[in-house]
């Protein structure tokens, strides 16, 4: 029974790229994998999952109580189908970090968190101490393995697959103690930070909510996600789901633009796997310039209007 189950992440309309990154990790495990898509009216999302290279089967579970990603409902459903699997993987996104520990707890196993590399099916690497050290994790082969996959460390697979889709009805009842009330999302139409190809972040130097609008405007001009340092979040300039870093989101965009951010180690941890890093900071000795591929030592309040003019 060496088989992997991947929990698909989606927003009800499209599959999140984190699912494909989990598929890359599952492929590295060297065993067949299925993908389970839970939700309401999930046919379209199931066909997107079926295109993921290497997927053996996509299991589509359609039920009204699974319409929203409530971990309480989704975890029981995964546990109900866990018997045929040795490994259960989910992304290290907010969705996965909410869901996977519940699955592990219900199955009575420890969770392996943040797999960044696979040595073999029970031996992994993961970062610790804000990414300053990499630890080898050996999991017991006698227990089911429940793990999150560090999405920033894995490339998405190709989309040339054509796995069969198996439709099932829900096996576990809806939770009686947790119910969905509403979703409040600050990002609007902006791309999800954890999967965006481009991200522009602002730091404490922005100095107010009003000035943070400049970050949103710039991000919208290039179709980027908008992020922030913890200092900017703590100061109340933007919502905390925008925080990038050790205690925020770990991201790996192709392009990361840090504006008015000093480059503290806890922030850099969140962008270690980014492609090109651009920094704008008026202090030429700011630590962010040590990791930046392109740096501009200048006042953001004069640079941003020029950037907007060029891009607009
Ligand atoms: C346990 C722990 C966890 C943490 N987790 C995180 C985390 O997840 N993410 C995170 O970001 N931080 C985190 N931090 C906080 C981190 O240590 C820094 O305090 C924070 O990143 C600093 O944010 P900042 O760069 O915006 O602010 P500052 O350090 O105040 O830097 C502001 C920068 O803006 C520049 N600047 C000022 N005015 C201008 C201007 N007009 N134009 C251009 N540049 C200008 C300055 O030169 C300076 O470099 C954590 C800290 C701890 C202890």
């Amino acid at each position: 029974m060496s088989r992997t189950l991947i929990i698909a992440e989606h927003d009800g309309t499209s599959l999140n790229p984190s699912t494909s990154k989990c598929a890359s990790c599952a492929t590295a495990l060297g065993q067949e994998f299925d993908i389970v898509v839970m939700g309401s009216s999930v046919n379209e999302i199931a066909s997107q999952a079926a295109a993921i290279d290497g997927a053996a089967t996509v299991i589509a579970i359609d039920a009204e109580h699974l319409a929203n990603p409530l971990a309480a409902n989704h975890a029981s459903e995964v546990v109900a189908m866990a018997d045929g699997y040795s490994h259960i993987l989910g992304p290290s996104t907010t969705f996965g970090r909410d869901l996977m520990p519940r699955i592990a707890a219900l199955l009575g196993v420890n969770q392996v968190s943040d797999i960044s590399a696979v040595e073999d099916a029970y031996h992994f690497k993961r970062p610790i101490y804000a990414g300053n050290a990499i630890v080898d994790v050996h999991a017991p082969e006698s227990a089911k393995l429940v793990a999150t996959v560090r999405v920033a460390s894995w490339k998405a697979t190709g989309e040339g697959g054509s796995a069969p889709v198996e439709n099932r009805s829900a096996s576990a009842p809806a939770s009686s103690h947790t119910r969905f009330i509403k979703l409040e999302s600050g990002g609007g139409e902006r791309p999800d930070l954890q999967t965006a190809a481009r991200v522009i972040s602002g730091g404490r130097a922005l100095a107010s909510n009003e000035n943070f609008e400049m970050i949103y405007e710039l991000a919208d001009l290039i179709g980027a996600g908008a992020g922030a340092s913890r200092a900017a979040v703590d100061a109340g300039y933007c919502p905390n789901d925008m925080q990038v870093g050790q205690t925020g989101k770990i991201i790996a965009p192709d392009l990361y633009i840090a504006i008015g951010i000093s480059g503290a180690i806890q922030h850099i941890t969140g962008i270690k796997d980014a492609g090109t890093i651009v920094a704008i900071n008026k202090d030429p000795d700011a630590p962010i310039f040590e990791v930046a591929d392109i740096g501009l030592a200048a006042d953001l309040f004069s640079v941003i209007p020029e950037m907007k003019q060029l891009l607009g």
Side-chain angles (χ1 to χ4, degrees):
M1 196 246 331
S2 293
R3 198 176 180 90
T4 303
L5 178 67
I6 295 174
I7 321 293
E9 176 175 3
H10 63 86
D11 61 3
T13 311
S14 46
L15 193 66
N16 191 295
S18 65
T19 308
S20 178
K21 294 182 174 196
C22 287
S24 294
C25 178
T27 304
L29 291 171
Q31 53 194 42
E32 282 210 331
F33 68 88
D34 301 331
I35 301 174
V36 59
V37 179
M38 292 175 279
S40 171
S41 308
V42 289
N43 285 351
E44 171 53 31
I45 298 159
S47 16
Q48 292 168 24
I52 287 180
D53 280 351
T57 309
V58 171
I59 300 157
I61 304 182
D62 220 308
E64 206 40 54
H65 71 274
L66 298 175
N68 296 291
L70 276 190
N73 289 336
H74 285 219
S76 327
E77 199 55 44
V78 173
V79 169
M81 64 186 297
D83 264 358
Y85 297 97
S86 55
H87 292 61
I88 302 176
L89 300 183
S92 63
T93 55
T94 307
F95 165 78
R97 283 190 281 178
D98 185 27
L99 175 61
M100 302 312 286
R102 271 182 191 259
I103 297 173
L106 289 171
L107 290 171
V109 297
N110 288 314
Q111 178 187 280
V112 173
S113 302
D114 255 357
I115 295 179
S116 60
V118 168
E119 297 296 309
D120 67 39
Y122 291 91
H123 176 190
F124 312 101
K125 291 199 182 292
R126 60 160 300 212
I128 55 167
Y129 299 127
N132 286 313
I134 305 294
V135 69
D136 275 280
V137 180
H138 292 267
E141 297 189 20
S142 53
K144 216 176 271 299
L145 187 119
V146 176
T148 58
V149 173
R150 188 176 191 268
V151 288
S153 301
W154 297 88
K155 295 256 175 277
T157 57
E159 291 180 359
S162 54
V165 176
E166 193 184 309
N167 290 293
R168 289 192 199 167
S169 32
S171 313
S175 158
S176 56
H177 55 70
T178 307
R179 68 195 158 90
F180 178 80
I181 294 180
K182 65 174 175 172
L183 174 69
E184 274 187 32
S185 170
E189 294 301 301
R190 256 170 237 123
D192 170 36
L193 258 190
Q194 277 172 300
T195 48
R198 301 162 185 177
V199 171
I200 302 187
S201 287
R204 191 186 339 240
L206 268 298
S208 70
N209 306 34
E210 293 71 36
N211 289 339
F212 230 85
E213 288 296 326
M214 296 194 292
I215 298 292
Y216 302 135
E217 286 163 15
L218 262 191
D220 292 344
L221 280 174
I222 62 164
S229 69
R230 177 164 159 176
V233 169
D234 288 352
Y237 303 155
C238 56
N240 71 352
D241 62 358
M242 285 174 57
Q243 185 177 318
V244 171
Q246 182 185 344
T247 43
K249 289 182 175 150
I250 308 287
I251 61 173
D254 298 333
L255 173 66
Y256 184 73
I257 306 181
I259 303 183
I261 292 180
S262 58
I265 182 68
Q266 296 90 354
H267 187 82
I268 301 304
T269 297
I271 56 166
K272 264 195 165 64
D273 296 299
T276 302
I277 298 175
V278 178
I280 300 168
N281 193 306
K282 72 176 183 188
D283 173 7
D285 296 322
I288 189 80
F289 289 127
E290 288 165 26
V291 296
D293 300 286
I294 301 168
L296 182 59
D299 187 328
L300 69 90
F301 293 103
S302 51
V303 172
I304 293 184
E306 284 181 45
M307 286 171 83
K308 277 169 54 185
Q309 214 168 11
L310 279 172
L311 297 166

